[in-house]
Amino acid sequence: MVTILLVDDEEAIRDGLKNLVVWEKEGFHIIGEASNGREALVKIKQLQPDIVITDLIMPELDGLELTRTIQQQFPDIHFLVLSSYDEFSYVSDSYKNGAIDYLLKPTLTPSNLLTTLKKVAKKLKTTDDLLSQKELLSQSLNRALIGYVDQEFTDIENFLEEKTYHLLYTNARWYQELSHLSSVLNTLCLEEFSIHVLPFSTGNTAAGLLIASKNQAPVQEFLATSFSSLKNVEPQAFFILSDPFSSLNMLNLVFNQLKTQSEGQRFFFKKQLIASQSELFSLDNGDRFDTRKFLRALLDNDFILGVERIEEYFNEMILSSVRPTFLKQQASSIFYTLLSTLEENHPNHAQYSQLKTDFLTEISNCTYLQDFSSLLLVMTESIKKELVSAHSDQEDEQLAELLRYIQDHYMHSISLTQLADMFHFSYTYLSSLISSRLHMSFSDYLKKVRLEKAKELLLHSELNLSEISDATGYSDLSYFSKTFKKEFQLSPSQYRRDNRL
């Protein structure tokens, strides 16, 4: 059976096509359907149909982009375009992308549809024969790569023609199947650049292409252009192109070098689909974190210093060629320790628990160094913000307690130095804190509390002025009277006489 995938955003059209022909009787099988180009690509990867019948105007990913991606990444799959009368410009472009034919929806009949599809079925038979020949050569290539010393290279050399070689290596899972690899460059204009390829897949999460080219052929640039549509198929694919070599006897050596050097490299190439062997980083495990200094900062409750030590460490590690696994392990361990300590010290601050959960989830999903760096930046800034907020809340509580102390002890001698010692502030910091929060100095606030209490006693007690002066912390009656009059423009006795009922 020749398998078919139907792609159209109108369900009625898809249902009509499914019932237009008795498909199995004619040698075809509808293997699936999709409502737009993006969904179709997922189905194509899963189902590997022989033919795709697609509409052109669709949401998400239109038929034109779909045909371009099929032509470049799934060249063994043939596609037939359905169009309306007013879509001829799209039809023309779809032919450039390799469409086998187009049919107008208004004139679609079982007869003209079957005639077109049966022509495709004949082409599929020819393609299968060619693929069988290439598969045999690929088996020979696989043996050479894994080190069979008795391997003959004559057939491979004759097939590839050119004598300057590269290996294109990947461990992307989608390319473990030779059928996928065979299709990667199958329909591109390789001859124009004197480039020939043969796919390999050794069965141990290593696959790629053996490429033969003329000495001066721009292989890497050509491959980058050829693979441009991979973003629609395998967004996280990554390939490494070996340095050129001139003898197939070097296959096993070059292959083992690429396997070893490729480990962890994708982490450093977020915006680059193909990296040359000479671009690869020499990775190590980096320097260990100074845990002793870090834990000392945490024990001293100097969490800002702890965060700064983390920033200094990872800034240095990110600029070095450090293995991704080491970076992630270090980040997970260090931030877990920091956030767990913050949870214990701030049990009413639920944000630290949430930050820890989010970080441990996101760090494991970091595919690239750029994402890792961004995550660390966001996390350290979030922790600093929470620390400032928590510190501010703690200061508010301490300040409120300090003000209550003044309210309760205003009648005694109180100094800023005494309060700083009592509430564990530095003298300068406490002075600044009171000024910023109360918009007055400590002495002005103490005077305000004492004079407000004096007003209350003048109006609601029988105490004489000397007694009121003592009761409000002024040992000198004359100084009390002078201060009161300066503040309220009335002497204490005038204030009592004018305001007492």
Side-chain angles (χ1 to χ4, degrees), residues 147-159:
Y148 278 87
V149 295
D150 61 342
Q151 184 61 50
E152 294 289 339
F153 299 119
T154 305
D155 290 343
I156 296 177
E157 288 175 340
N158 291 338
F159 176 79

Side-chain angles (χ1 to χ4, degrees), residues 307-365:
V307 173
E308 289 174 351
R309 294 201 185 284
I310 292 174
E311 289 177 316
E312 291 171 2
Y313 173 71
F314 281 106
N315 284 342
E316 182 178 345
M317 290 299 96
I318 287 169
L319 293 175
S320 306
S321 300
V322 178
R323 295 186 186 281
T325 51
F326 180 81
L327 273 179
K328 291 184 181 182
Q329 288 168 358
Q330 286 290 86
S332 298
S333 174
I334 293 168
F335 277 92
Y336 180 86
T337 301
L338 172 63
L339 290 165
S340 295
T341 305
L342 287 170
E343 279 184 285
E344 293 176 6
N345 281 266
H346 302 87
N348 298 323
H349 216 64
Q351 288 87 339
Y352 293 123
S353 177
Q354 188 62 51
L355 283 174
K356 183 170 73 173
T357 300
D358 292 345
F359 181 79
L360 294 178
T361 300
E362 292 179 32
I363 196 69
S364 63
N365 295 327

Side-chain angles (χ1 to χ4, degrees), residues 109-146:
T109 65
S111 176
N112 61 19
L113 178 58
L114 280 173
T115 298
T116 301
L117 291 175
K118 287 181 178 180
K119 289 180 182 177
V120 181
K122 290 182 180 179
K123 292 183 179 180
L124 289 171
K125 175 70 168 60
T126 303
T127 301
D128 287 344
D129 291 341
L130 291 173
L131 286 175
S132 296
Q133 178 190 4
K134 185 174 281 189
E135 285 174 2
L136 290 174
L137 290 173
S138 290
Q139 291 175 13
S140 297
L141 175 58
N142 290 340
R143 287 172 56 84
L145 291 171
I146 60 179

Side-chain angles (χ1 to χ4, degrees), residues 49-69:
D50 297 311
I51 300 172
V52 174
I53 300 176
T54 181
D55 188 17
L56 282 176
I57 308 300
M58 296 183 294
E60 297 280 339
L61 188 76
D62 66 23
L64 199 58
E65 185 62 29
L66 174 63
T67 60
R68 183 179 298 114
T69 300

